[in-house]
Amino acid sequence: MRKIVKGLGVFVGLVALIGLTAFAFLNEKRPVAPPSAQADSLAKKMLLAVNKSAWDSTHIITWKYGNGHTYVWDKNNNFVFVNWGDYRVLLNLQTWDKGRAFKGTEEVKGPDLDVVRGKAWAYFCNDSFWLIAPFKVFDEGTTRSLVPNEDGTNDLLVSYASGGVTPGDAYLWKLDASGLPLSYKMWVKVLPVGGVMATWEGWSKQPSGVMLPSFHQLGPLKLPIKDLRTGHSLTETGVSGSIFDPIR
């Protein structure tokens, strides 16, 4: 028995050592660079490449994220429909208490309602960021810095002091010559390793003129954005005009 326990101890120690070695090898320190007007200029170049003015005039966005979450977002009225599994949640972001949730055909009420609404809001914050992060580089609480590369180009470091569900996160954007995002590296609370890279691919021009991605690669993980539609009204995107009536 002592030999078995000793063997288990050696095995656990070996696993821990491998984990620490992998962490030391993969973990990348967050760049340190001061905010600057030059960084703001690069951020504005990115906004021009993705056509933020068209995004601002886009009223409705619907999509399905890689993890199976489906969304209908009415930007003008601050309404969001979130669907995953058996759950359907209607969020009124302007008047939170008007939000409603359903599991199957049964409405969720009482203390469970806030739990389900909170989960839907967290899903929406995360999944919408993977769709529209480039438009959020000048959000309140952000700073922008330039991080130089060996080839003389610069990457754009955007740090979030507030906002979303994980304030304190930072993203290092790599852009093409036109300013269109190619990828970013992340320093975020939900990942134990810093500098993890995710691609931003499959850019397409929507009917409103806004540029949006359709695919991310995060290591071996593929994160497609499916059934993406944008428009100026619910019916224009093929959604029932009455979907948000219960929370108006």
Side-chain angles (χ1 to χ4, degrees):
M1 178 62 73
R2 288 181 180 177
K3 288 183 178 179
I4 293 174
V5 172
K6 184 177 180 181
L8 284 174
V10 171
F11 175 75
V12 171
L14 183 60
V15 170
L17 179 61
I18 292 172
L20 289 172
T21 303
F23 177 81
F25 180 75
L26 295 173
N27 189 52
E28 185 176 329
K29 289 185 178 180
R30 177 172 164 175
V32 177
S36 66
Q38 291 80 5
D40 287 352
S41 295
L42 185 58
K44 290 174 182 176
K45 183 177 181 179
M46 179 168 69
L47 292 180
L48 188 62
V50 296
N51 200 346
K52 186 176 185 297
S53 62
W55 167 251
D56 292 340
S57 64
T58 299
H59 299 164
I60 307 293
I61 309 96
T62 74
W63 77 98
K64 182 177 181 179
Y65 194 51
N67 51 20
H69 302 165
T70 301
Y71 299 92
V72 179
W73 181 10
D74 181 340
K75 284 174 55 192
N76 270 16
N77 294 298
N78 279 322
F79 299 153
V80 182
F81 169 85
V82 188
N83 172 232
W84 75 94
D86 294 332
Y87 287 98
R88 293 175 295 116
V89 183
L90 293 167
L91 298 177
N92 184 321
L93 302 181
Q94 193 70 33
T95 309
W96 181 255
D97 288 343
K98 288 186 177 182
R100 297 174 68 179
F102 301 85
K103 184 177 183 181
T105 58
E106 298 294 321
E107 184 165 5
V108 179
K109 295 186 176 181
D112 290 340
L113 175 59
D114 257 348
V115 173
V116 175
R117 283 190 303 198
K119 183 177 290 188
W121 181 81
Y123 286 158
F124 170 68
C125 283
N126 177 78
D127 295 353
S128 63
F129 189 85
W130 284 90
L131 180 68
I132 63 162
F135 304 115
K136 300 177 69 63
V137 295
F138 282 96
D139 278 9
E140 184 177 353
T142 60
T143 55
R144 291 148 301 280
S145 309
L146 291 183
V147 176
N149 295 306
E150 292 182 358
D151 62 2
T153 62
N154 291 297
D155 293 338
L156 176 67
L157 180 66
V158 182
S159 304
Y160 291 80
S162 60
V165 293
T166 55
D169 293 349
Y171 302 83
L172 183 63
W173 289 94
K174 184 170 289 295
L175 312 176
D176 70 11
S178 72
L180 195 67
L182 298 173
S183 64
Y184 61 28
K185 290 183 176 181
M186 298 175 283
W187 287 264
V188 296
K189 289 185 176 64
V190 296
L191 294 176
V193 176
V196 175
M197 193 268 284
T199 65
W200 282 68
E201 304 179 54
W203 290 93
S204 64
K205 188 175 183 179
Q206 299 298 306
S208 63
V210 64
M211 295 288 291
L212 291 173
S214 62
F215 185 77
H216 304 290
Q217 183 84 33
L218 178 60
L221 189 63
K222 300 179 187 297
L223 301 172
I225 297 168
K226 302 177 181 178
D227 303 328
L228 178 62
R229 300 189 298 276
T230 64
H232 298 293
S233 67
L234 289 168
T235 53
E236 189 177 331
T237 55
V239 178
S240 169
S242 61
I243 188 175
F244 292 119
D245 284 351
I247 58 171
R248 292 185 187 277

